[in-house]
Amino acid sequence: MTREELLNSNFTEDQLAEIQAGIEDGVDVSLYAREELLAIQMRQIRLGLLSGVQVSRYNDASLDWFQMEEIRIGLENHIDVDKYAKASIPYMKMRQIRKGLMVGIDLTSQLDRKPEILRQIRKAAVARVDISKYVKEGYNASQLAEIRKGLEKGLNIGEYLVIEFRGSSIEEICRGLESGVDVSIYADEDYSWRQMREIRIGLESQLDVGKYINPFFEWRQMRQIRLGLSIGLDVSSYARLSFTHREMEARRKHLESQAFNLGDEGAEGIAVGDISIVIKDYGMTAVMTCPEGCRYTKDAIDAAMAESNVVAGIDKGAINRVINTASKGQEIVIATGTPPVAGEDGRYEFFFDTNPSREPKELDDGYLDFVNVDWYETVEKDQRLAVYHPATKGQDGKSVTGTILNARNGAELKVLTGKGFTKSEDGNEYFAEFSGIIEYNELRGTINISETLVVDEVNNATGAVDFEGNVHVKKDVGIGAYICATGDVVVDGFVEACFIEAGGNIILKKGANGKGGKNLIKATGEIQGNFFESMNIEADVGIVANYCLNCEIFTKGTLDLSSRKGLLLGGHTIAEERIKANNIGNRIATPTLVVVGMNDRMREIGKKIQVDAKTVRGELKILENACEQFKEKFSPEERNSMEIYLKIENAIYTKELQLGELKEKRQKYVDRIKELMRAKVDIRNHLYEGVRFNINGKFWDSEPNYNITMTGSPNNIIITKN
């Protein structure tokens, strides 16, 4: 098609833009330069031509652009698109079939299912859990999602399920099972999911939920009762159906403010004749004063006490001394109240180290000791882990006027949650379900025991290690070895050129030398080791070592080489937040590249967000233009009955959501950049020549210096003496 033919055609501006883009890309635009194709459909064909796929498989105007996209992505991933490349299959179903085929799961036999159901079937198949029973029974997508999540966590939810439960109700049951509470108390159709939540939280907090499990209490009433119980209040005065949740709240707050007060400090004094009695100390002390030289009978004193309502804690000895002795005009304490005694809060007693240090100590020679460190706490099967000592009730007090002073009952602690343990029948004792590594999180109130695979050594002869849990290698890891663990990896011996990946931390007690082969040490957590030579190291949290020589290093956190023998020499290091080193470089100026703060990885993330946003905005503009064209050509009644118009409207909504998500991503990216602008390098001892620094995009070739801190300003690198 010539330029003149294009200009004289009936193509819209957006269609012409897609054709022009194809010409610039060098693709055969004749394959899609057809007026019956919307610009957004043309774009999918152009993208397919750019990626080299067979666009004839979806170059059909009867397919909408979303369907075209699913077929194109399938072709690019070399899957059998014939299983779903049909105009009769909605794109949402296509997407689930395509995603399933990409991981070896064929959902085409269940095309009669809704796309949201197919999604749950696919996710369950990937997680290797069976939800087919619940699919057949007619559970909806939100219900299936919660059932699937529960099964993935190994929860025995089947006995508690009824199809009348909403997805959020099933979620509350799963949460209760995770916490180890008796969910049968609330797994009932009579409760809404919000009521279930209040009961679950009460059970987890070890409260007497019997005070509010009546299903006629609405969830906000339950909440007020639960809040009162959580601080030891006697809720019986307001835990009644006749009170609204607002009335309950008012009564709870009144009880809360009054229950632990001793009374009124400013009580008025009473005078009977010459005898004056004053009640002090919030009703806890009655003080009598008589004129000097006077004597009083017991009847006179009793009358004065009755008038001032002093009836409790009376000191008969003090009164007898007044009767038998002439007054000297001083104040005499004649009654003392009994103060309330608060109950003790519940507490846990642990039988393992809840906070192992994991910190290597510096030896006399200046090196960090990575061998003699308690990296983690191990427990044996059936080992007693903890005992819960329940809260005690408070002891009420009494003022001198006989007023009962309510004592605060002790508050219960939440039950410990997590995995890898069992509980005693009364729920107060915790035992290890199996041997493994135990971790306690005080903030979350969790105990997690993960199984540990202990192997002698790992090399090509022993084979690869792929384990869900922790891996402990007691000797060496040889060249070409492979270790992958979802938890921590600990190696007692030496590590050669190998591949180690951990979902937790990696600890190499004797260090690693990667000469002689490809290697990668990668951790979601922290990497610690005696030394690293010629290694590729990646850690999200941080890296700690004595020295790193000729390594490729990346961490989102801190590279810590600050021991007295700490050294960074050679290689390429990227530490996004900080480098702490004793020495960087050496006297012979070995080339060393150091990047701190902003780096190419971060720039690529920013570029991708920018490109994605530009793409979505472009697609949104095309859709909005198409929508306007329909509005110009057709009346509201006509276009609202046209499937293609309704698809365009839905697509506009979807693209607007995508733009919102990209905006959030962009904000997180900007916030991260602001953090990186504070990045710095601390050198405690020597900086030598030969080191090229890049701090937030500012470069500097080092000169000899000593005990400095380096930061990057908008214009240059700032060096300050420590």
Side-chain angles (χ1 to χ4, degrees), residues 550-561:
N550 300 315
C551 293
E552 293 290 315
I553 299 170
F554 174 78
T555 178
K556 294 178 183 177
T558 296
L559 171 63
D560 188 345
L561 305 167

Side-chain angles (χ1 to χ4, degrees), residues 579-582 584 680-688 693 700 702-711 717-722:
I579 292 178
K580 297 192 294 184
N582 197 48
I584 298 182
K680 61 183 177 179
V681 178
D682 292 315
I683 302 170
R684 176 175 159 182
N685 205 339
H686 290 288
L687 169 64
Y688 297 91
F693 287 95
W700 181 66
S702 67
E703 299 170 355
N705 217 321
Y706 181 84
N707 193 19
I708 59 171
T709 293
M710 305 171 63
T711 56
I717 290 175
I718 298 171
I719 300 172
T720 55
K721 282 283 188 181
N722 294 328

Side-chain angles (χ1 to χ4, degrees), residues 90-102:
Y91 83 91
M92 288 299 291
K93 287 190 180 183
M94 282 189 176
R95 181 168 296 172
Q96 297 310 318
I97 296 165
R98 190 256 304 165
K99 286 186 173 183
L101 290 171
M102 286 175 66

Side-chain angles (χ1 to χ4, degrees), residues 157-177:
I157 60 176
E159 63 182 285
Y160 303 105
L161 295 178
V162 291
I163 202 164
E164 287 76 18
F165 283 153
R166 295 174 62 179
S168 45
S169 296
I170 296 172
E171 181 185 5
E172 290 302 324
I173 293 170
C174 289
R175 286 188 174 188
L177 289 170

Side-chain angles (χ1 to χ4, degrees), residues 12 101 119 143 160 174 176 188 195 284 298 392 450 458 460 467 476 504 575 591 602 604 616 627 653 678 689 693 720:
T12 66
L101 290 171
R119 182 170 185 263
Q143 292 171 312
Y160 303 105
C174 289
D188 193 305
Q195 289 174 306
M284 297 303 291
K298 183 175 183 302
T392 61
S450 50
V458 183
N460 282 328
F467 188 67
D476 300 337
M602 282 296 293
E604 285 304 313
V616 173
C627 187
Y653 174 72
R678 298 191 291 270
E689 286 185 291
F693 287 95
T720 55

Side-chain angles (χ1 to χ4, degrees), residues 73-92:
I73 295 172
L75 289 167
E76 289 172 351
N77 286 277
H78 309 291
I79 62 175
D80 184 4
V81 298
D82 288 337
K83 289 182 178 291
Y84 65 88
K86 302 177 182 67
S88 59
I89 301 176
Y91 83 91
M92 288 299 291

Side-chain angles (χ1 to χ4, degrees), residues 242-259:
S242 56
F243 293 129
T244 67
H245 73 92
R246 293 193 184 281
E247 290 171 328
M248 284 186 173
E249 182 180 24
R251 287 172 178 264
R252 174 181 65 79
K253 288 181 175 179
H254 177 73
L255 281 174
E256 193 173 334
S257 65
Q258 295 296 316

Side-chain angles (χ1 to χ4, degrees), residues 101-158:
L101 290 171
M102 286 175 66
V103 292
I105 298 165
D106 190 346
L107 298 174
T108 52
S109 63
Q110 305 202 56
L111 275 172
D112 58 322
R113 308 278 185 198
K114 292 180 179 179
E116 56 268 27
I117 301 291
L118 289 176
R119 182 170 185 263
Q120 295 307 321
I121 295 171
R122 174 178 62 80
K123 288 196 164 191
V126 170
R128 298 182 182 178
V129 297
D130 184 10
I131 63 170
S132 58
K133 171 187 173 184
Y134 306 106
V135 173
K136 288 175 185 174
E137 289 177 1
Y139 284 84
N140 65 35
S142 68
Q143 292 171 312
L144 291 173
E146 299 304 328
I147 293 169
R148 172 182 58 77
K149 291 174 192 173
L151 292 173
E152 285 177 18
K153 293 172 182 174
L155 304 177
N156 183 24
I157 60 176

